Amino acid sequence: MEWLTAPFEVTFVQRALWGGILVSAICASAGTWVVLRGMAFLGDAMSHGLLPGVALAALLGGNLMVGAVVSALVMTAGVTALGRTPRLSQDTGIGLLFVGMLSLGVIIVSRSQSFAVDLTGFLFGDVLAVRQQDLLVLAAALLAALVVSVLGHRAFLALAFDERKAHTLGLRPRLAHAVLLGLLGLAIVASFHIVGTLLVLGLLIAPPAAALPWARSVRGVMALAALLGATATFGGLLLSWHLSTAAGATVAALAVSLFFLSHMVSGLRDRRARHTPAPAPVLEVD
């Protein structure tokens, strides 16, 4: 038992655990829609698109979170605008924004002879450096994400499964898409300083994707994804402590491992179900 509890007797590991749990819940609320709508590339692009704002804020001695928020707003506005261009596919627009924002960030960094921006911290995060005020920010971000998820649930649901029906029901799918992008941006901004932009997709996509074969509703996917993300956080911090590995990367790697384990087990379940007259779980529209 001491092997399990010893790391979490240290204060900064306790803060890392709580930070990871909060991030897991935030990412579950946004990541479920990312998985259902096939928006993984968009999530990747938005996470890397934070670099210009973060780099500029660091070079000017400003708040990195504020810089990340500004970049996220620019990316959200850009994706929304390009999505309305009929002659340009959404993937093309996202790819161009991705490259443009990443290039701009590298240019800003290269203008400083001292390279004041810690790119390693930006890319990979430092979950063990979570402070008390970071936990308060994450708690506020989780509250905002829950409010947006509850208020926009019906519109997001129609948008995910039948955009034409969303039009018919008067749910304004374009506005819903823009709000969903904002929710995705909130999750990424809140998470990037914990696990970094390269690893944020581990908690944003892997837990909801792992939960999908086992949950029977969208809310069920979110709840199970939050639980799996918290499990990956606990296990990742435990392994990183005993194996002396990078904490954020270990958490993300464990989250991805849970995804593969989930789909392997669900594959075995479905194979067995073919030989018995039992209906397979179907995701219900709640």
Side-chain angles (χ1 to χ4, degrees):
M1 285 297 294
E2 185 178 353
W3 188 85
L4 287 173
T5 60
F8 302 100
E9 295 174 358
V10 182
T11 302
F12 67 85
V13 181
Q14 292 175 5
R15 288 198 297 264
L17 176 61
W18 280 112
I21 290 173
L22 290 170
V23 166
S24 297
I26 296 169
C27 287
S29 64
T32 297
W33 301 112
V34 171
V35 171
L36 290 176
R37 297 198 64 205
M39 296 164 55
F41 178 54
L42 174 60
D44 190 26
M46 288 194 69
S47 64
H48 287 81
L50 301 184
L51 181 57
V54 173
L56 193 59
L59 293 177
L60 297 177
N63 188 293
L64 299 186
M65 187 70 75
V66 173
V69 169
V70 172
S71 283
L73 290 174
V74 171
M75 282 292 295
T76 299
V79 170
T80 302
L82 290 175
R84 297 178 180 178
T85 305
R87 296 184 179 180
L88 190 67
S89 70
Q90 188 177 40
D91 282 349
T92 301
I94 293 171
L96 290 173
L97 279 172
F98 174 25
V99 174
M101 292 291 281
L102 189 59
S103 300
L104 179 59
V106 174
I107 290 171
I108 293 173
V109 171
S110 67
R111 290 292 296 171
S112 171
Q113 295 180 353
S114 62
F115 285 88
V117 179
D118 183 3
L119 287 179
T120 301
F122 173 77
L123 295 174
F124 301 105
D126 189 359
V127 68
L128 296 178
V130 175
R131 302 166 297 175
Q132 190 67 36
Q133 51 265 45
D134 294 329
L135 295 179
L136 296 177
V137 171
L138 288 172
L142 175 58
L143 179 61
L146 290 176
V147 169
V148 172
S149 296
V150 171
L151 295 180
H153 183 79
R154 187 164 175 260
F156 295 161
L157 200 62
L159 189 65
F161 291 101
D162 192 341
E163 187 171 346
R164 290 176 298 179
K165 187 174 182 179
H167 273 291
T168 304
L169 296 174
L171 295 176
R172 304 177 66 182
R174 287 186 176 181
L175 178 60
H177 181 68
V179 174
L180 186 56
L181 291 180
L183 179 61
L184 176 59
L186 173 66
I188 292 172
V189 168
S191 307
F192 88 93
H193 69 295
I194 303 296
V195 293
T197 58
L198 285 180
L199 303 176
V200 68
L201 288 183
L203 289 177
L204 189 68
I205 294 178
L212 203 57
W214 304 99
R216 300 183 64 88
S217 69
V218 173
R219 292 189 180 94
V221 173
M222 290 182 181
L224 184 54
L227 179 60
L228 290 173
T231 301
T233 299
F234 178 85
L237 290 173
L238 183 66
L239 290 174
S240 69
W241 176 274
H242 290 292
L243 301 178
S244 300
T245 56
T250 307
V251 169
L254 187 55
V256 174
S257 298
L258 288 175
F259 160 74
F260 285 112
L261 178 62
S262 169
H263 280 263
M264 182 180 70
V265 174
S266 68
L268 293 174
R269 178 202 63 189
D270 294 341
R271 188 177 303 175
R272 182 177 299 177
R274 294 192 191 108
H275 303 287
T276 58
V282 178
L283 187 67
E284 297 176 353
V285 176
D286 49 3

